[in-house]
Amino acid sequence: MAVGLERRERVAVVSVDRPPLNVLDLETLRELDRALASAAREPSLDVVVLRGAGERAFSAGVDVRDHVKEKVPEMLETVHGVIRRLWSLPQVTLAAVRGLCLGGGCELAMACDLVIASEDSVFATPEIDVGCYPPVALACFSALIGYRRAAEMILTGRRFSAREAHAMGLVSRVYPPAELGSGLEALLTELLEKSSAVLRITLKGLRELSQRDFSAALRRAEEIYRDDLLRTRDVEEGVQAFLEKRKPRWTHG
């Protein structure tokens, strides 16, 4: 099992443990979806914490081998099923990030209500470098951090430090690496001091009002991926170049 679920009082901690970088293959994503579904069914839980095991990565993203053309429909359905699951959980969701938070891993963290990070964390959506794009980021990052910042992240694929991500609005709080655990506990204490009933009702309203266009936007991002992107030659070249550990030879078509 690559995904663990630990319950303690009103908190569930969901951990992705797939060393060395917690890359998300399809089976790991299915396990993650099952863990989140299990947490959703427990009325005694008020917060779900999502984390990556170890110190090197929250997650380095979705396995590039699952980006090949024949796997893309299943990959999109599986990844976005987890994202939609996170959006629909009745509990507050909190991503605790340490290390690399890339691609689908970054999208996963950003689908949480709150994100805390250690100062040594790195955030990026580098899909453009392997000839594709991050559909969830396309659907919601402009609303989350503004069009210019979203465009820079998605079109350049460059890496942002935790401090940069905090300044952009991607991250709620940043801590020195040794203090991430205590920072998490402090935030959990703040949340658990609230009324469980009021917390859930407020969260419902917050999500509905801020995400009213997200579902339609994500569907459209998926359509463009399948109908336009997959018809290019470069989408195959990018994935193949990554797997062969060489620079892509773009034909621009």
Side-chain angles (χ1 to χ4, degrees):
M1 296 287 286
V3 177
L5 175 60
E6 175 191 353
R7 300 168 180 84
R8 49 187 179 93
E9 297 182 354
R10 294 161 60 193
V11 179
V13 179
V14 178
S15 301
V16 177
D17 188 359
R18 193 166 183 257
L21 298 178
N22 299 320
V23 170
L24 303 166
D25 65 358
L26 292 176
E27 183 51 40
T28 301
L29 286 162
R30 294 187 190 103
E31 287 183 31
L32 182 55
D33 188 64
R34 289 193 291 269
L36 294 173
S38 176
R41 292 192 292 268
E42 298 195 29
S44 62
L45 294 176
D46 286 325
V47 183
V48 174
V49 177
L50 186 60
R51 61 182 293 274
E55 299 181 353
R56 294 183 61 186
F58 175 81
S59 171
V62 177
D63 197 328
V64 174
R65 289 171 294 188
D66 291 328
H67 284 72
V68 296
K69 277 189 176 182
E70 59 269 22
K71 286 190 175 182
V72 162
E74 182 182 12
M75 182 269 290
L76 291 177
E77 180 181 0
T78 306
V79 175
H80 297 167
V82 174
I83 297 294
R84 291 182 171 102
R85 178 80 69 187
L86 276 168
W87 280 120
S88 68
L89 286 182
Q91 298 94 353
V92 177
T93 54
L94 196 167
V97 176
R98 176 126 192 223
L100 297 176
C101 188
L102 309 179
C106 185
E107 291 178 311
L108 199 63
M110 295 312 122
C112 293
D113 300 303
L114 298 165
V115 181
I116 65 171
S118 61
E119 289 176 337
D120 57 354
S121 299
V122 176
F123 297 81
T125 52
E127 285 87 342
I128 196 80
D129 295 326
V130 292
C132 56
Y133 67 74
V136 175
L138 254 66
C140 70
F141 276 22
S142 289
L144 185 64
I145 60 176
Y147 179 83
R148 304 295 179 203
R149 288 169 170 166
E152 184 179 4
M153 278 198 80
I154 295 166
L155 296 179
T156 71
R158 87 165 177 91
R159 296 185 175 193
F160 292 79
S161 70
R163 290 294 178 190
E164 287 178 299
H166 179 260
M168 292 164 62
L170 283 174
V171 172
S172 311
R173 302 180 185 181
V174 178
Y175 301 95
E179 298 176 20
L180 183 64
S182 59
L184 172 60
E185 293 304 320
L187 182 51
L188 288 174
T189 297
E190 289 181 54
L191 292 169
L192 297 177
E193 286 176 345
K194 317 307 181 201
S195 158
S196 177
V198 175
L199 198 64
R200 288 185 179 226
I201 292 168
T202 304
L203 183 63
K204 177 182 178 181
L206 178 65
R207 287 182 184 163
E208 284 187 6
L209 293 173
S210 64
Q211 302 167 20
R212 58 179 60 186
D213 298 324
F214 173 72
S215 293
L218 185 56
R219 283 196 300 272
R220 182 60 181 144
E222 292 170 345
E223 289 173 0
I224 295 170
Y225 201 113
R226 290 191 304 264
D227 298 342
D228 297 333
L229 185 66
L230 290 186
R231 292 184 180 181
T232 69
R233 294 183 297 274
D234 284 343
V235 71
E236 292 185 277
E237 167 59 16
V239 172
Q240 195 60 37
F242 181 90
L243 295 176
E244 294 175 2
K245 299 181 180 179
R246 60 173 173 81
K247 295 187 87 171
R249 296 184 286 269
W250 304 123
T251 61
H252 307 293

